[in-house]
Every structure is written in C-alpha cells, then in structure tokens.
Amino acid sequence: MKKIGDKLDLDFEVKVVRAGATSPELVTFASLLQGPTVVSIYMRNNTGSCDKQNDTLVEATAELSQRGYGIIGVSRDTAGSHQKYAAKKGISYTLVSDPDDLFARAADAIVEKSMYGKTYQGPLRSAWVLDASGTILAIIDKVNAKAHGEQVLAALEV
C-alpha cells in the first residue's frame, strides 16, 4: 500500500457521474482532482455498509466543502447505477465507476477478501486524501462505515 507523501499515477480513464449531469462522462481520474480531494472507496451501491458509508459522507459534504475539499466516491458499479444511486441518496459529489479497480491498483490497495468461503482480490475499503497533483496527504485504511464522515474530518485535523 502506498504511503503518505507518495504520488499516485492517476492517468487512467474512468466513467464519472457528477451532480446535475444528465449522462456519464469519460475522463482521466487525474482531471477530477481540482484541489485537495477525499477519495472514498466502497464496494457496491445499495448495500448496507456502503449506504452507511456514503450517508455519512453526504452529511459531511458541506463541512468538507467549507474546508476546501472535494469528494469522490469510487466503486465497481456502472455509471448508470451511480446515477440512480446519487439521486436516491442525495449525493452531490462525483461518483466514479471503476470496475477494474484502477484507483485501488494505483494506490497499491488490492487485498484478499472472502465471501461465502471463497477468496478473491478486491479494493480495500478505504479513503485517500489527495492534493491536486495526486500526492497522498492522509489515508484511512480501516473505514468505519457508520462514522466515515467523522473519520474523514478527523483525518484532516492531523
């Protein structure tokens, strides 16, 4: 896993859903970083823990914006799923469709997981605070879904 101070190579294309957009866009991940940004990795839309994780980020959005931070949510879901999810959950930040785990690979944050007795590789549920150049300012490597917004705000205090 990358460390604070490392710069991520974010020169890869992803589909994004932005608040108020009528259709997804294909952009480079690096172009999404307009300033300091929190990148929150979650597994799937419309699942218990992931919903809680995003709900707490929605609650923290105004505070993060006041502090000058953008927010990007990243999951394997399709851009179409993200559009419906953002409308349902009141998400105003950008959601990235990353079915190939490109961000997690850039952060060296692919981990072994297990479900129903089977193991597989997947992205670490985590959050990354990056500057506009992709340099890591802070890492939350153990997301508490019920208090993720608070975790992010606390990480910015350090």
Side-chain angles (χ1 to χ4, degrees):
M1 189 162 82
K2 299 285 186 175
K3 302 180 298 278
I4 293 172
D6 289 345
K7 184 173 179 174
L8 302 182
D9 179 5
L10 301 174
D11 191 27
F12 53 85
E13 289 186 333
V14 290
K15 284 188 179 176
V16 300
V17 173
R18 300 181 204 239
T22 56
S23 61
E25 301 171 64
L26 184 64
V27 300
T28 63
F29 199 100
S31 72
L32 297 173
L33 303 179
Q34 300 298 308
T37 304
V38 175
V39 179
S40 181
I41 311 298
Y42 66 100
M43 302 309 115
R44 288 269 177 233
N45 294 337
N46 299 305
T47 59
S49 292
C50 296
D51 285 355
K52 289 174 188 152
Q53 182 176 339
N54 277 297
D55 289 345
T56 65
L57 273 182
V58 167
E59 291 172 11
T61 298
E63 176 73 21
L64 288 166
S65 181
Q66 284 180 336
R67 294 185 186 194
Y69 288 86
I71 305 172
I72 299 171
V74 179
S75 80
R76 292 176 170 175
D77 294 291
T78 66
S81 175
H82 279 331
Q83 280 188 296
K84 293 174 190 165
Y85 189 65
K88 174 183 171 183
K89 301 299 264 172
I91 295 173
S92 61
Y93 48 85
T94 299
L95 294 177
V96 171
S97 175
D98 188 10
D100 298 319
D101 304 323
L102 298 175
F103 182 87
R105 291 180 195 290
D108 195 20
I110 298 290
V111 296
E112 185 175 285
K113 299 177 171 220
S114 65
M115 183 182 294
Y116 306 118
K118 295 184 180 185
T119 60
Y120 63 98
Q121 298 289 308
L124 176 68
R125 182 190 299 264
S126 54
W128 303 77
V129 181
L130 308 175
D131 70 9
S133 72
T135 300
I136 301 169
L137 305 175
I139 302 168
I140 300 170
D141 60 357
K142 290 187 174 51
V143 166
N144 175 348
K146 294 179 184 177
H148 186 47
E150 294 167 16
Q151 271 186 309
V152 169
L153 291 169
L156 301 180
E157 298 296 325
V158 176

